[in-house]
């Protein structure tokens, strides 16, 4: 395998010219998100640059404490982002969401790194990139599922009250919203899996091939990480919705919205 081509700063900077095309389309279509595009691009660049420096330091001088600290920050930020997308949840629901994001994510990460790959759970070279992919997709799936669930409830408040009035239990009323939201949360991951290898070559596989890894090895890693991501997204969303919706009614069968 050939060695990866090292990008020079000048070459790398040329990629930002593509954003001019995005800005042109936004202006043509009167999409008033030019400021957001610039801010997002700058934040992405700064955050990834800082992450790269941190990773270089961690990999050069690995220590369990630093790896665990990085994981804690990553998981905490993922939980914060999910809760920020669905304001108004009661405190019990928020705790359930936090645990549902953290516990399956860390459990599957441990299984992937320690059992499947056979590396130490404190090895930052494996733990941090893999946890980033797992927690990033979990954050997106959980936020999508919870937002769908909350928006559906808010849009059918009168229907819920009518069903309660005729004697339907809160469990039977709310559970269909749980299943619908879970399906919505899983669809992006499932659709991505359906198109892999035909429509797209995913990021992890592409990055490994560019770095000189044999395509057959990269394929095995990609399949493994996609199965792990699917499992974590499913378990996290199920936990957050299935246990969280039970906090929305009381012992007198009143729905608390």
């Amino acid at each position: 395998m050939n060695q990866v081509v090292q990008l020079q700063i000048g070459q790398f900077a040329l990629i930002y010219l593509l954003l001019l095309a995005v800005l042109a389309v936004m202006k043509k279509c009167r999409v008033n998100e030019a400021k957001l595009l610039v801010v997002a691009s700058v934040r992405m660049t700064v955050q990834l640059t800082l992450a790269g420096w941190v990773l270089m330091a961690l990999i050069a001088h690995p220590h369990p404490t630093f790896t665990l600290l990085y994981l804690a920050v990553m998981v905490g930020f993922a939980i914060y982002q999910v809760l920020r997308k669905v304001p108004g949840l009661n405190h019990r629901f928020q705790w359930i969401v936090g645990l549902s994001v953290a516990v399956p994510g860390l459990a599957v990460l441990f299984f992937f790194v320690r059992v499947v790959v056979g590396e130490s759970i404190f090895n930052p070279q494996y733990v941090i990139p893999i946890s980033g992919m797992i927690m990033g997709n979990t954050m997106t799936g959980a936020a999508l599922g919870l937002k769908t669930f909350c928006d559906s409830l808010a849009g059918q408040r009168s229907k819920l009250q009518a069903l309660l009035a005729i004697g339907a239990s809160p469990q039977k009323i709310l559970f269909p919203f749980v299943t619908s939201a879970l399906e919505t949360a899983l669809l992006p991951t499932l659709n991505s899996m359906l198109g892999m290898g035909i429509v797209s070559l995913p990021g992890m596989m592409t990055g490994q091939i560019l770095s000189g890894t044999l395509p057959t090895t990269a394929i095995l890693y990609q399949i493994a990480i996609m199965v792990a991501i699917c499992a974590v997204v499913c378990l996290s969303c199920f936990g957050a919705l299935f246990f969280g919706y039970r906090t929305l009614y009381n012992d007198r069968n009143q729905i608390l919205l």
Side-chain angles (χ1 to χ4, degrees), residues 41-55 70:
S41 301
V42 171
R43 279 191 58 174
M44 174 193 70
T45 303
V46 172
Q47 289 169 182
L48 286 177
T49 301
L50 291 174
W53 288 343
V54 171
L55 281 172
Y70 196 102

Side-chain angles (χ1 to χ4, degrees), residues 110-122:
F110 179 86
F111 177 80
F112 190 100
V113 175
R114 193 72 190 93
V115 179
V116 177
V117 179
E119 282 289 328
S120 168
I121 192 62
F122 300 114

